[in-house]
Amino acid sequence: MKKIIVMMLLLATLSCLISACKKEPTSISISDTAQISFTGYNGTGVAELSNEYDWLNKIEKGKRESDEKYATKINSLKDAVAYSISPNENLKNGDSVTIYTDVNEDVFVWNNYRSSTRTRTFVVSGLKELQEYNAFEHIKVDFSGLSPYGKITIHELEGLIEGLQFVPTREDGLKNGERLTIDVVAADGSDVKEFCKKAGYVLKDTSMSVKVELNSSYLTSLDDIPEEWLLKMKNKTEELVKTEYEERAKAEKNSKGLRQLVKYRFCGSYLFYMKTDEFKQKEQSETVNDIVMLYAITATSNTGEFIYLYAVSYPTAIIDGDQFSVDLENYSLIKNDFLRGSFTDASGTMCEQIYPGLKDMDEAYRYIILPKIEKYKYETNVNGWK
């Protein structure tokens, strides 16, 4: 029994000695060295964390601790702490930002440390105020070409925020007087207002309306032909009809069955103008628009009196301000020469009488409209021919 009591006293004594020798864990503040800086602008500020691990510099190397063991200890303590800050974006002056820590306390205990001061709070300050910004004051808009095939060009001027782009409703196929909308967008696809805020600005407007202003236009409506010019085209076409008959009459002089021009009547006009998509790939030889004057011709041959159609095309009719113009000498006949009657020449030879025109409205469709219908829009005021 005495031996048991002695043994217990020895164990108690040993336990007391061990407890007395054991070192109390050192407390380390793991957020005291952390700093938060604020950048950006009031309302769009960003918080950035720095110096968060500088507390490791306070941990001294033990007297009997090797360099390798000391480095291992430092790295393990560093890996045991993770930092986060919240909120960290879209900050404004006066907001509170807190540093939070996630700690593996077992690592600290193993190394005879304990962590403290795990959170810290900072107040946002020093962010500059956002300035109002009108992006459209930093562009110049130009229009070129002839209506309705005009083009828009947007020139960037000094002071434009880098990364902004301007997108019009359409870039080409523009008609004089129409209105376009130009939108300002961020080149990276982000919200343009937020993009500008990050640059320190409050965007005033995201779109602007502009009026297309072109000096000249291609004719796109028969109603826009001045009466004076309609009369000029009629006179020119009638002159061509009469000249045609005079020349044919000379060729058939002193023959029997001589053709005769009885009368002619204006039936109306066709106007063709190129479709916008076709204009973009227009070939040099193609005309942009054409006015076709259509006449009904009453004539006689040895087979009697008959009526046929005579069509003349005048290309490239332009309106320049208040001035209308078309080259009356740059014309072409639209025809499918046909046989009607015959005559006997001076030598007694029977000859065919050929007429330069179109026999009827079916031919007018095939030779006037059909060749252009794929690439051109058209309108007409032709209403009958007999």
Side-chain angles (χ1 to χ4, degrees), residues 95-242:
D95 285 349
S96 295
V97 177
T98 300
I99 301 175
Y100 296 96
T101 55
D102 183 12
V103 183
N104 185 342
E105 195 64 37
D106 290 341
V107 175
F108 276 73
V109 172
W110 176 260
N111 289 281
N112 205 33
Y113 292 102
R114 61 182 174 82
S115 63
S116 64
T117 319
R118 293 192 175 189
T119 62
R120 285 182 69 195
T121 299
F122 293 77
V123 177
V124 179
S125 63
L127 296 177
K128 295 180 180 179
E129 294 298 323
L130 295 169
Q131 298 178 23
E132 187 177 71
Y133 183 78
N134 186 348
F136 297 99
E137 291 181 349
H138 301 278
I139 62 171
K140 180 177 180 292
V141 178
D142 285 333
F143 297 101
S144 60
L146 276 70
S147 175
Y149 312 103
K151 295 182 179 181
I152 184 173
T153 303
I154 300 174
H155 305 278
E156 296 181 357
L157 304 179
E158 186 178 354
L160 181 66
I161 297 174
E162 187 176 352
L164 292 183
Q165 293 180 343
F166 296 87
V167 182
T169 309
R170 296 194 318 281
E171 293 184 351
D172 49 28
L174 305 181
K175 185 177 181 180
N176 192 39
E178 73 169 301
R179 299 203 72 86
L180 295 179
T181 297
I182 301 176
D183 295 321
V184 57
V185 300
D188 62 4
S190 64
D191 182 87
V192 68
K193 289 186 176 180
E194 294 302 317
F195 181 89
C196 289
K197 282 182 179 179
K198 290 178 181 178
Y201 298 96
V202 176
L203 188 61
K204 184 178 180 181
D205 297 300
T206 59
S207 63
M208 177 179 73
S209 177
V210 294
K211 183 180 179 181
V212 177
E213 296 181 352
L214 299 166
N215 294 327
S216 303
S217 307
Y218 287 105
L219 180 71
T220 57
S221 173
L222 289 172
D223 293 337
D224 292 334
I225 301 176
E227 286 295 329
E228 174 191 359
W229 275 93
L230 183 61
L231 181 60
K232 287 181 179 180
M233 286 186 285
K234 283 182 179 180
N235 291 340
K236 179 63 179 181
T237 306
E238 291 166 10
E239 177 188 323
L240 293 173
V241 171
K242 289 184 283 187

Side-chain angles (χ1 to χ4, degrees), residues 112-380:
N112 205 33
Y113 292 102
R114 61 182 174 82
S115 63
S116 64
T117 319
R118 293 192 175 189
T119 62
R120 285 182 69 195
T121 299
F122 293 77
V123 177
V124 179
S125 63
L127 296 177
K128 295 180 180 179
E129 294 298 323
L130 295 169
Q131 298 178 23
E132 187 177 71
Y133 183 78
N134 186 348
F136 297 99
E137 291 181 349
H138 301 278
I139 62 171
K140 180 177 180 292
V141 178
D142 285 333
F143 297 101
S144 60
L146 276 70
S147 175
Y149 312 103
K151 295 182 179 181
I152 184 173
T153 303
I154 300 174
H155 305 278
E156 296 181 357
L157 304 179
E158 186 178 354
L160 181 66
I161 297 174
E162 187 176 352
L164 292 183
Q165 293 180 343
F166 296 87
V167 182
T169 309
R170 296 194 318 281
E171 293 184 351
D172 49 28
L174 305 181
K175 185 177 181 180
N176 192 39
E178 73 169 301
R179 299 203 72 86
L180 295 179
T181 297
I182 301 176
D183 295 321
V184 57
V185 300
D188 62 4
S190 64
D191 182 87
V192 68
K193 289 186 176 180
E194 294 302 317
F195 181 89
C196 289
K197 282 182 179 179
K198 290 178 181 178
Y201 298 96
V202 176
L203 188 61
K204 184 178 180 181
D205 297 300
T206 59
S207 63
M208 177 179 73
S209 177
V210 294
K211 183 180 179 181
V212 177
E213 296 181 352
L214 299 166
N215 294 327
S216 303
S217 307
Y218 287 105
L219 180 71
T220 57
S221 173
L222 289 172
D223 293 337
D224 292 334
I225 301 176
E227 286 295 329
E228 174 191 359
W229 275 93
L230 183 61
L231 181 60
K232 287 181 179 180
M233 286 186 285
K234 283 182 179 180
N235 291 340
K236 179 63 179 181
T237 306
E238 291 166 10
E239 177 188 323
L240 293 173
V241 171
K242 289 184 283 187
T243 300
E244 176 74 29
Y245 271 84
E246 289 172 1
E247 291 177 352
R248 296 281 181 170
K250 289 179 182 178
E252 298 168 10
K253 189 177 181 180
N254 300 324
S255 61
K256 297 178 181 179
L258 182 67
R259 74 178 70 206
Q260 290 184 355
L261 172 62
V262 178
K263 63 180 179 179
Y264 47 81
R265 180 177 66 84
F266 179 58
C267 300
S269 307
Y270 298 88
L271 172 63
F272 297 90
Y273 58 96
M274 198 167 265
K275 297 175 182 178
T276 301
D277 289 341
E278 297 296 335
F279 181 82
K280 294 177 185 177
Q281 50 194 5
K282 172 185 171 297
E283 296 180 8
Q284 190 171 0
S285 60
E286 293 179 313
T287 58
V288 177
N289 65 4
D290 294 90
I291 302 170
V292 177
M293 306 290 284
L294 188 68
Y295 273 76
I297 307 297
T298 302
T300 59
S301 69
N302 62 346
T303 61
E305 188 174 282
F306 65 99
I307 302 174
Y308 69 96
L309 295 168
Y310 191 86
V312 180
S313 173
Y314 299 95
T316 317
I318 293 175
I319 302 173
D320 187 359
D322 296 331
Q323 300 297 314
F324 177 90
S325 65
V326 64
D327 186 356
L328 296 179
E329 299 306 317
N330 182 24
Y331 63 85
S332 60
L333 301 181
I334 302 174
K335 60 181 182 175
N336 181 34
D337 292 349
F338 62 92
L339 173 65
R340 184 67 183 242
S342 59
F343 66 94
T344 303
D345 65 14
S347 65
T349 302
M350 183 68 70
C351 301
E352 296 176 337
Q353 283 187 320
I354 304 297
Y355 289 81
L358 305 168
K359 287 190 290 186
D360 50 36
M361 289 301 293
D362 287 339
E363 279 205 345
Y365 178 80
R366 287 199 301 273
Y367 287 91
I368 297 175
I369 298 175
L370 201 57
K372 288 183 171 289
I373 201 167
E374 184 177 344
K375 292 188 175 184
Y376 293 78
K377 295 180 180 181
Y378 81 95
E379 64 174 75
T380 181

